[in-house]
Structure formats: C-alpha cells, structure tokens
Amino acid sequence: MADRSFLAWPFFDDKHRALAAELESWTEREIAPHEHDEHDVDGLTKRFVARLGEGGWLRHAVPAPYGGHHDKLDVRSLCLIRETLARTSGLADFAFAMQGLGSASIALYGSEALKQRYLPPVCAGTHLAAFALSEPEGGSDVAALRCAARRDGDEFVIDGRKTWISNGGIAGHYVLFARTGEAPGAKGLSAFVVDADAPGLRIAERIQVIAPHPLATLAFESCRIPATNLIGRPGDGFKIAMATLDIFRSTVGAASLGFARRALDEAVRFVSRREVFGKMLGEYQATQMRLADMATEIDAAALLIYRAAWTKDCVADRVTREAAMAKMYATEAAQRVIDSAVQLFGGMGVVSGVPVERLYREIRALRIYEGTTEIQKLIIASQVVAQGEKP
Ligand code: COS
C-alpha cells in the first residue's frame, strides 16, 4: 500500500483527501486490469479518456461553467489525479493530462464561443485534446519557433511542422502556437485551435517511443482555419504557452511522483520476500539505506510539487519558479528511485513487462517533455537573479 500520510499536509483540504481516496478505488476497478496493456495504444488511450469522462474525473481538467468542478483549474486536484493514475498506468495518466494540457489555453484565454465549443466535449471524454508547440528544429527555444500563420480575410493560413505532439493522429483538435509576426521573437507568436480535419493539416509521421503512447509529427500545408479560432490576442502566444505550462509543469512532477511511489512499493515488497545468502534482502543495511534514500527523495519531491500546486491555487497566479523546481526535482528524483528499484530487483528488474521495467521506460521522457531539466534550471536561475536584483 502506497504511503498516503502526505494527504494530512496542510496543503490539502478535505475535498482533496476525499478525491484521492475515491480515485484510488476507481483506478483499481477501471484502470488496473489494463495495467500491462501496451498494445493498441491509440485504442486504449481513447477508451481511457472515455472512461475518465464517464467517471467524472475530467471535470477537474476544465473550469466550472463548461462542466468542470472548480471555477479555475485546481492544481492540487490535477496533481493528485496524475499521481494516483500514474501509480497504476502511465497511459491512463497521459490520457488525463492531455485533456487538460490541450484545453487549458482555451479555458484561460479563449473567446466564449471557443470555450463553449471545445471544453464540454473535452470534459465528457468524447473529444481528445492536444498541445502543439514543439517543432522539428527544436522545442526548448519557444521564441524561435517557425511555423507561421498569416491572416487572409476571415481566415488564418498556417504553414510549417510540429513534432512530438502527444495525441497526434487521434486528437479532435490541436492548440497550436505559430508565428504571426507582430514583433520579433517571443512577442510575435499567437495561439490557435486547429480542428483535426482542417484542410491542409496532415499527420506526417507517427513516432514510436520507448514507453508507447500516441505521438506524431504534424504538417500544415496552406492549412486554413477561421480567424475566430485565434486564442487571446495576436502576439500573446508565448505568454499563453508559458501560462499553460505554469499549471501543467507541476503535474508532470506529480506523474513522476506516482511512478516513484510505485517503484518504492514494488521494491519494499520484493526485498521482504527475496532471500540472498541466507537472509532476506531487506535485512541488509545496504538495502535499508537505499530504501531510506528512495523514500526521502519521494517526500522531497512531493513537498515541492504540492508547494507549487498550493501556491498556484491559493497564493499567486504566477508560479514559474515553484513549478520549474517541482518538475525538475521530481522527475530527476523519480528516475533515481526507479533505477534503485530495478537494481534491487536484479535480473528480474529488466524482464519485459514487470512493473519496475515498465516504470524505467516510462519515467525517461518526463525529464524531457514540457521543458527539459536544463530548461527548468535556466528558468529557476532567471527567477532567482530577478529576485536578487529587486531593491
Ligand atoms: N507566464 C506568463 N508570462 C511569461 C511566463 C509565464 N510563465 N514566462 C515568461 N513570460 C513572459 C515574460 O514576462 C516576457 O514578457 P515581457 O517581455 O513582457 O516581460 C515574455 O514572456 C518573454 O519571456 P522570456 O524573456 O523569459 O523568454 P525566453 O525566450 O527567454 O524564455 C524559456 C525562454 C526557456 C523560459 C521558454 O522558451 C521555455 O519555457 N521553453 C521550454 C518550452 C517547453 O516546455 N518546451 C517543450 C514543449 S511543450 S511539451
């Protein structure tokens, strides 16, 4: 049984504690039977989204007027949901997270008409969402992105490519960031909603990765969308992307925390059953020290994640520094925790399909997507320096 003592921390209300308990038993019933299923990830992702919609969990991914639970997204709930789902299934966590990441820019900055059109079906789980920011030339330097959108009467015409797009190929819409040229760099980008069936949008390539999930490169070739699909004002694209990532970066940390907790649980169970040189593996001090490091890193990650989430929910609109710290530390720590679990398992740890082997593959991408560890360090440093320069 995973450690749930953190739920007593003052970051949470009783409604968060109830949410965690309820989701835990729902996940056991609805998700756990598919835990080892890595075939037909498109079909399984769609089924998970539908099931999360039916179960009401996607009501945490959109705001209240459009079917959601909270007036604005509650980051602590998002983190608890991602952590709980990730303990059982990386793909179920992915399915949940993308509904939020692929719709939050609309919820935060979209027109009323865009919100009315896209958010209710995202919440119901009948329409899959995606977030298209990264490009083949790079994903870290957002201000340099090249995909271009030019106004033509009542439409925008989009040309360029996006890659590493989660849900690419199965999404109903893409939140797209493109250069509109109001100014050089960061101030010349805008955000749009592009329907999957927009003329001129094609899936250029499906990408296979070590922990399978739907992923694609998108090609926009004179792709036409209505001008009313602009999210926010022209030139605000960079800020919209960053504000969206400010919410979801903490939740990436939460998913990695779920992976790490599962790895620790698996390790504890294993060392109390595995006998070596006449004693249980868990009776050796070397093992105990390793378990102590794993548990401490997990608690440190949880503190950073729920500090960032609570700050966003209760204290400050901008949590760039807190979210970057949470994402960086939690994903890096989870990689170490999972690696330790694999080491304790020995040969059994690298057998295809055993939970720690799966976790070892699943954690790796989280240190890269939604801002690499190196980018998080740059963000943290710039915030620290800016703070230090204040009189
Ligand atoms: N919320 C709101 N506004 C923000 C913001 C945030 N979190 N972060 C930056 N901005 C604003 C800044 O305030 C600045 O506006 P002003 O000039 O009016 O002050 C503007 O946006 C530009 O910011 P900055 O100068 O910091 O831009 P940089 O180009 O230096 O930013 C980083 C560089 C690395 C921080 C950014 O490109 C980034 O986060 N990259 C990683 C993106 C990513 O996660 N990619 C993975 C793909 S998504 S799966």
Side-chain angles (χ1 to χ4, degrees):
M1 172 76 180
D3 177 18
R4 310 308 281 153
S5 61
F6 73 99
L7 288 169
W9 291 350
F11 295 128
F12 301 107
D13 300 334
D14 282 345
K15 67 179 188 317
H16 294 115
R17 298 179 182 108
L19 167 81
E22 210 184 309
L23 180 59
E24 178 113 32
S25 40
W26 183 88
T27 304
E28 203 48 50
R29 280 196 320 275
E30 302 287 335
I31 304 294
H34 304 277
E35 184 178 344
H36 300 285
D37 197 347
E38 290 193 347
H39 308 292
D40 183 23
V41 287
D42 285 4
L44 194 54
T45 303
K46 289 183 204 166
R47 286 199 292 282
F48 279 160
V49 169
R51 220 164 267 190
L52 287 161
E54 286 155 16
W57 303 108
L58 294 175
R59 295 185 65 203
H60 294 276
V62 305
Y66 312 95
H69 260 302
H70 309 276
D71 289 340
K72 65 181 180 89
L73 295 185
D74 182 74
V75 185
R76 288 165 295 173
S77 300
L78 292 174
C79 287
L80 283 170
I81 293 172
R82 290 202 66 177
E83 175 185 341
T84 307
L85 291 172
R87 266 197 284 126
T88 299
S89 160
L91 197 65
D93 161 60
F94 165 86
F96 174 80
M98 286 315 303
Q99 292 301 92
L101 181 67
S103 69
S105 305
I106 304 173
L108 289 171
Y109 295 96
S111 65
E112 191 52 38
L114 288 179
K115 291 182 196 174
Q116 295 281 2
R117 176 161 175 211
Y118 290 98
L119 300 181
V122 165
C123 179
T126 53
H127 178 98
L128 275 74
F131 184 79
L133 181 65
S134 295
E135 300 191 354
E137 288 75 24
S140 293
D141 187 0
V142 175
L145 65 81
R146 294 184 192 176
C147 181
R150 78 180 155 78
R151 183 88 190 232
D152 182 23
D154 289 343
E155 295 179 321
F156 277 94
V157 183
I158 304 162
D159 281 285
R161 282 191 167 225
K162 292 285 171 184
T163 196
W164 313 119
I165 306 308
S166 291
N167 276 348
I170 61 168
H173 78 256
Y174 299 88
V175 167
L176 172 83
F177 297 88
R179 180 160 301 287
T180 37
E182 291 72 20
K187 293 191 166 46
L189 307 178
S190 301
F192 303 92
V193 192
V194 182
D195 288 320
D197 60 1
L201 166 57
R202 117 184 124 76
I203 305 302
E205 177 193 18
R206 295 296 301 267
I207 306 167
Q208 307 303 324
V209 284
I210 53 175
H213 69 272
L215 197 65
T217 301
L218 314 180
F220 297 86
E221 293 151 346
S222 298
C223 171
R224 288 189 169 266
I225 59 166
T228 48
N229 278 23
L230 175 74
I231 303 174
R233 289 175 312 187
D236 276 355
F238 186 91
K239 285 188 186 182
I240 294 172
M242 292 304 131
T244 304
L245 291 171
D246 265 2
I247 297 175
F248 283 91
R249 278 186 177 143
S250 308
T251 79
V252 178
S256 59
L257 178 62
F259 292 153
R261 285 197 200 279
R262 176 67 183 269
L264 179 60
D265 292 349
E266 295 287 336
V268 167
R269 223 179 354 253
F270 184 80
V271 302
S272 60
R273 288 179 197 158
R274 169 82 168 156
E275 198 179 315
V276 265
F277 299 112
K279 280 205 291 192
M280 289 302 162
L281 188 53
E283 291 178 68
Y284 290 92
Q285 283 195 341
T287 304
Q288 291 161 10
M289 285 174 197
R290 198 185 269 279
L291 293 177
D293 286 343
M294 293 162 78
T296 305
E297 292 219 78
I298 285 173
D299 274 12
L303 282 163
L304 281 171
I305 291 160
Y306 290 110
R307 185 269 300 247
W310 170 81
T311 306
K312 178 76 180 165
D313 291 339
C314 303
V315 181
D317 199 40
R318 188 132 168 214
V319 289
T320 307
R321 172 172 157 270
E322 291 86 347
M325 285 182 173
K327 200 254 178 197
M328 174 188 75
Y329 184 81
T331 54
E332 293 291 330
Q335 181 87 63
R336 291 190 291 271
V337 168
I338 294 166
D339 189 60
S340 276
V342 170
Q343 198 66 19
L344 286 168
F345 268 71
M348 278 303 293
V350 289
V351 171
S352 294
V354 302
V356 293
E357 179 272 342
R358 200 182 66 229
L359 293 164
Y360 190 79
R361 288 184 287 111
E362 278 178 326
I363 187 57
R364 191 61 186 86
L366 278 67
R367 293 167 54 208
I368 299 171
Y369 72 60
E370 288 180 48
T372 60
T373 291
E374 293 71 20
I375 289 292
Q376 306 311 326
K377 287 187 180 174
L378 296 181
I379 293 171
I380 295 163
S382 76
Q383 297 277 316
V384 169
V385 170
Q387 183 64 36
E389 283 169 352
K390 281 190 188 158

